[in-house]
Amino acid sequence: MTDALKRLSDEGVAIWLDDLSRTRITSGNLAELIDQSHVVGVTTNPSIFQKAISEGHGYDQQLTDLATRKVTVDEAIRMITTADVRDAADILRPVFDATDGQDGRVSIEVDPRLAHHTAATVAEAKQLAWLVDRPNTLIKIPATKAGLPAITEVIGKGISVNVTLIFSLERYREVMDAYLAGLEKAKAAGLDLSKIHSVASFFVSRVDSEIDKRLDAVGTDEAKALKGKAALANARLAYEAYEEVFSSDRWAALDKGRANKQRPLWASTGVKDPAYKDTLYVDDLVAPGTVNTMPEGTLNATADHGQITGNTIAGTYEQARAELDAVGKLGVSYDDVVQLLEDEGVEKFEAAWIDLLNSTEAELKRLAPSEG
């Protein structure tokens, strides 16, 4: 079942699971995926935790204890989510040690309601790193305008970061710049750069969903022929930017200090359009030094029938530029699409966080001991 996953891993793509729950940890499922499916990392987000906590009874004991202590709902969520991330980090620790800290990582996101507040994001990132207290944690910070200086500040303090919600090539370059600036701050502070890691989560499927919708509205044969091409083109050009930045003189100075490259992470790789093959954003985004974080359905589909045929990004940049240009010539604005997707991404995570607050509050009330 896992030959395709092994081939993917052998091509230099780190396979991460885009999901986490208490049940996945306690049942041994996460350990099994690491052992049998080449999974070497885990990503979480507010939507994942909202789903995990609202389903089943895996959190009842901890929720009962928290209700007995009369903690606030915000504190309860942080106690629950950091416990899961800490336990998952412990399960992944052998991978972390074997890869010299590159993989074996678990991501946890700052409160998405802070996405447009730099100082609060920095404070939350420091608090999360302290709460989880594991070296193989990545703190997720959204790539909003306010998030960029927060990334620099947090990296500068020696905290490893997963930058999330990147949709545009321009913003991706700003993210890499923020990372390098953070490393320069860390270097000036005398920190060990080899201990600082980062990934940049470049979102894929949502780009096709939005651009395909607009191409359908154009309705011509030329427009329909471009459907399903924009997301791959966008991601491939992001990899071109990565290669350029991490071969620059600025990077070379940091590389001498044993700094780590900020790897591109392909996020949102579950295919949303049933007309496309369900492994599209895995098979066609293979390149060394990347991460692909997959929902379990995509992981299983790749194991079953993924077609891993070597590097599928090298040599594609000219075609990718031509495809994005063709989309633009049809009146579909790239800048408008990527800004909309960033705004929607933040809003969706905020909404999931509110749902998480509400469902957790309801559980705390349900499990609270009667007075007396």
Side-chain angles (χ1 to χ4, degrees):
M1 276 289 283
T2 58
D3 281 354
L5 294 173
K6 182 180 187 304
R7 287 197 298 275
L8 186 63
S9 183
D10 289 344
E11 288 293 337
V13 180
I15 300 166
W16 290 9
L17 177 71
D18 192 27
D19 190 55
L20 187 63
S21 67
R22 185 72 48 89
T23 303
R24 196 181 283 285
I25 291 165
T26 57
S27 68
N29 172 262
L30 178 58
E32 186 178 288
L33 290 173
I34 295 164
D35 184 51
Q36 298 179 15
S37 299
H38 302 275
V39 168
V40 293
V42 168
T43 49
T44 68
N45 62 46
S47 301
I48 285 169
F49 278 128
Q50 192 277 328
K51 182 172 181 284
I53 294 169
S54 63
E55 292 180 358
H57 300 281
Y59 297 89
D60 280 7
Q61 184 57 60
Q62 189 177 11
L63 281 162
T64 300
D65 292 344
L66 292 166
T68 303
R69 289 173 48 214
K70 296 184 168 62
V71 304
T72 66
V73 64
D74 286 275
E75 185 184 352
I77 287 169
R78 276 312 180 207
M79 291 298 100
I80 290 166
T81 57
T82 55
D84 278 2
V85 169
R86 190 180 307 113
D87 288 345
D90 288 344
I91 294 168
L92 278 155
R93 184 59 189 261
V95 177
F96 174 81
D97 292 337
T99 60
D100 200 22
Q102 181 163 257
D103 288 308
R105 296 262 172 189
V106 187
S107 299
I108 184 167
E109 189 145 354
V110 297
D111 184 333
R113 295 172 297 178
L114 307 177
H116 302 296
H117 304 280
T118 303
T121 294
V122 172
E124 171 101 340
K126 288 160 61 181
Q127 171 75 355
L128 283 174
W130 177 82
L131 268 176
V132 177
D133 193 28
R134 294 294 185 272
N136 49 330
T137 310
L138 289 171
I139 307 302
K140 286 180 83 173
I141 298 176
T144 56
K145 278 293 186 187
L148 295 170
I151 293 158
T152 296
E153 192 69 21
V154 172
I155 290 289
K157 293 182 184 300
I159 298 170
S160 295
V161 172
N162 176 344
V163 184
T164 188
L165 291 177
I166 308 170
F167 296 94
S168 81
L169 296 168
E170 180 185 4
R171 184 56 54 83
Y172 178 43
R173 286 184 179 274
E174 292 174 335
V175 165
M176 289 188 284
D177 180 71
Y179 175 61
L180 296 184
L183 288 177
E184 287 158 354
K185 285 188 77 160
K187 183 179 179 182
L191 299 181
D192 182 354
L193 300 188
S194 72
K195 302 294 185 189
I196 304 171
H197 288 260
S198 183
V199 293
S201 294
F202 199 87
F203 279 55
V204 186
S205 67
R206 294 187 197 179
V207 174
D208 269 343
S209 296
E210 183 59 33
I211 288 183
D212 283 0
K213 185 170 66 177
R214 299 184 185 206
L215 290 171
D216 278 335
V218 174
T220 64
D221 288 344
E222 184 186 4
K224 289 173 184 173
L226 286 167
K227 287 179 65 177
K229 297 184 184 298
L232 289 174
N234 199 37
R236 286 165 169 173
L237 292 177
Y239 191 78
E240 180 188 38
Y242 158 77
E243 289 183 311
E244 181 186 311
V245 169
F246 289 100
S247 59
S248 67
D249 291 342
R250 185 183 182 191
W251 168 250
L254 291 162
D255 191 35
K256 284 176 186 169
R258 298 174 60 230
N260 298 290
K261 292 178 181 178
Q262 181 187 54
R263 289 183 293 170
L265 179 151
W266 310 129
S268 181
T269 55
V271 174
K272 294 177 171 57
D273 189 332
Y276 304 150
K277 62 178 180 178
D278 55 3
T279 58
L280 177 67
Y281 304 125
V282 178
D283 297 350
D284 290 15
L285 287 176
V286 177
T290 60
V291 180
N292 196 311
T293 186
M294 309 178 202
E296 191 170 21
T298 304
L299 182 76
N300 290 339
T302 303
D304 183 61
H305 52 264
Q307 297 176 321
I308 309 304
T309 56
N311 190 324
T312 48
I313 293 182
T316 64
Y317 303 145
E318 194 175 324
Q319 180 188 352
R321 258 187 292 279
E323 287 168 347
L324 285 187
D325 286 347
V327 168
K329 285 172 183 169
L330 291 173
V332 177
S333 167
Y334 176 85
D335 290 343
D336 182 63
V337 166
V338 293
Q339 188 59 56
L340 174 74
L341 290 173
E342 180 186 305
D343 293 344
E344 282 185 350
V346 173
E347 287 167 9
K348 283 176 181 175
F349 280 172
E350 280 184 5
W353 195 262
I354 302 288
D355 287 346
L356 178 55
L357 285 168
N358 292 338
S359 56
T360 303
E361 188 171 36
E363 288 296 287
L364 288 170
K365 286 177 180 173
R366 179 178 72 84
L367 295 165
S370 56
E371 297 294 334

